[in-house]
Amino acid sequence: MKRSLCVLLLFVLTACSPWNQEEDSAGRAVTVVADGAEFPLAVRAAGDGQTDRERHEQQYQALVEQIEPGDIPYIQLGEPIEVHLAEEEDADYELTDVILLPDGSYKYKTPDNRPQTVVISGGSGSFELGINPAAFLSSSASDYEPGATLRGFRLSGMGGGELQNIYFVLRTDAGSVGPSL
């Protein structure tokens, strides 16, 4: 009951948010959804002259700045995350996953997790929210509390003939290291 109420509240909050859908530079809508909640996101054309690291970090920081801390969606590990493009195109997107500080900056010097491929077919694709091994690098016990891990995701691929990046952030758990004692 409590989880359903939280999901409903998140859905209502995101439905009222101006970040519901972001259009890429060609005007196509992109939506990212998990557990009934639509993610605030940013879609940007790649290659604006900044280094990749700087550009990506600034996008995560801008997203986090626009969202109230309590409104960053919480998604449990193992949940599927769906990506929907307005145009029914087929493409392979590269997904990178980073651990972030509360302000959206990178928590670790080498931020990217090993990339994986997300196949978009007919304008839709999905991936499962797995564990990011870097979440276990923290020595702070508070980082292992439920929902304490802030992660930034970037999907990079050809959208409408140009390279684009789709950014979104979520809260989740660091993961399970074994049975509770």
Side-chain angles (χ1 to χ4, degrees):
M1 173 73 179
K2 184 177 178 183
R3 179 180 169 162
S4 297
L5 184 59
C6 289
V7 170
L8 178 63
L9 180 61
L10 277 174
F11 181 74
V12 169
L13 289 174
T14 57
C16 297
S17 167
W19 286 83
N20 278 350
Q21 287 186 340
E22 181 82 13
E23 292 185 359
D24 67 14
S25 58
R28 295 176 304 246
V30 177
T31 307
V32 178
V33 180
D35 199 24
E38 200 170 303
F39 290 91
L41 53 94
V43 179
R44 303 288 181 253
D48 61 1
Q50 293 179 301
T51 67
D52 284 342
R53 180 179 167 84
E54 289 171 341
R55 179 178 56 247
H56 303 320
E57 186 172 37
Q58 286 178 355
Q59 290 301 316
Y60 295 128
Q61 289 173 321
L63 273 172
V64 169
E65 186 177 294
Q66 296 295 322
I67 308 167
E68 292 294 324
D71 292 342
I72 295 174
Y74 169 77
I75 304 298
Q76 288 186 331
L77 293 170
E79 289 289 325
I81 297 177
E82 302 171 14
V83 180
H84 302 282
L85 307 176
E87 293 188 11
E88 293 184 8
E89 56 187 43
D90 296 340
D92 289 346
Y93 277 74
E94 182 180 85
L95 175 72
T96 54
D97 169 13
V98 297
I99 305 294
L100 302 173
L101 292 169
D103 69 353
S105 61
Y106 292 136
K107 187 167 189 165
Y108 301 109
K109 187 174 182 176
T110 308
D112 291 351
N113 191 18
R114 182 178 207 150
Q116 71 182 63
T117 300
V118 176
V119 177
I120 305 292
S121 178
S124 296
S126 66
F127 65 94
E128 183 178 301
L129 179 60
I131 292 173
N132 182 323
F136 296 106
L137 296 175
S138 177
S139 60
S140 173
S142 64
D143 287 345
Y144 297 96
E145 293 176 3
T149 302
L150 182 61
R151 290 168 61 179
F153 291 86
R154 178 176 46 91
L155 287 160
S156 298
M158 295 298 286
E162 69 179 7
L163 186 61
Q164 68 178 6
N165 293 311
I166 302 167
Y167 299 89
F168 60 97
V169 295
L170 59 83
R171 290 181 312 104
T172 192
D173 306 320
S176 175
V177 293
S180 298
L181 298 176

